[in-house]
Amino acid sequence: MIDVFPAAERHSADLGWLRSQPSFSFGGYNDPNRTGFSVMRVCNDDYLAPGKGFGAHPHSDMEIVSIVLDGFIRHEDNLGNSVVSSFGEVQRMSAGTGVIHTEFNASEETELRLLQLWFMPAERGLAPSYEASSFDPNKLHNALLPVVSGQGAEQIASIGQDMTIYLSKLEQGKQLSYTVEPGRKQFIYVIEGLLQVNDKQLETGDTAQAAALNELAFQADSPSFFMLIDLP
């Protein structure tokens, strides 16, 4: 089963300094039918104006992933981390017992676009931690590249949950397949392009939620950039 949620039906907010398209209820946006999927709670496609961002605010017991799509993000927290990341880099924060952080567009000239992803942790009450990792963008081409996983590895950020985040840039006409382990669920977000997933057609900004499948088949009807998240 694959449920598709068209981009045109997603909530959007424009605060001037921030343009955001959340896939699930977030902040002042509340949809009781869209509160998360499996352990996933947030998927925001955010655009931050130059020099703008989120001031100091707390989190606890949440796995938070920031994937930069364009521009530069500056992360600072009360653990002593201060990091600037760009495309090809991922930031992961395990809030655990509590952490305070800020996120800002590190550029005074260009807009920042990033995906903000939140997940429930497998275990609550752990010590907070932070990790910045990088991947080779060339390895995205016609492949599913893991960039975050529960095990972590070289060029793969670790996360406190049994899940994996993949990114892919698929050339027009190219195909990929993903074998699904029994009982797993998948979340798909088309960052850019026109993508067939099994018998479903997805366009830029569309999301899909899959469950009870044996395989996912991807075919790009135009050059496509997408994210696949494998969830418990």
Side-chain angles (χ1 to χ4, degrees), residues 64-155:
I64 299 173
V65 175
S66 299
I67 300 176
V68 180
L69 300 179
D70 193 26
F72 302 87
I73 186 173
R74 177 182 295 280
H75 165 98
E76 295 182 351
D77 59 46
N78 64 337
L79 305 177
N81 298 294
S82 180
V83 179
V84 174
S85 299
S86 59
F87 180 65
E89 297 175 292
V90 175
Q91 297 188 6
R92 185 274 307 160
M93 185 173 68
S94 297
T97 55
V99 65
I100 298 173
H101 81 132
T102 66
E103 285 183 306
F104 275 84
N105 185 339
S107 171
E108 295 292 338
E109 299 176 351
T110 61
E111 189 174 57
L112 163 68
R113 183 187 181 191
L114 75 154
L115 297 179
Q116 297 267 22
L117 311 169
W118 295 12
F119 308 89
M120 296 297 295
E123 185 175 352
R124 299 169 65 91
L126 299 178
S129 65
Y130 171 85
E131 177 185 8
S133 67
S134 61
F135 60 87
D136 183 353
N138 292 319
K139 293 183 178 180
L140 298 176
H141 294 285
N142 300 322
L144 285 166
L145 180 69
V147 296
V148 179
S149 78
Q151 297 75 39
E154 184 178 357
Q155 295 191 323

Side-chain angles (χ1 to χ4, degrees), residues 3 5 20 23 32 34 45 51 66 89-90 101 105 108 115 121 125 141 148 161-162 173 183 199 211 221-222 228 232:
D3 292 325
F5 300 88
S20 182
S23 295
R34 296 289 288 156
D45 194 339
S66 299
E89 297 175 292
V90 175
H101 81 132
N105 185 339
E108 295 292 338
L115 297 179
H141 294 285
V148 179
Q161 183 54 265
D162 178 20
D199 61 343
D221 292 339
S222 72
L228 167 67

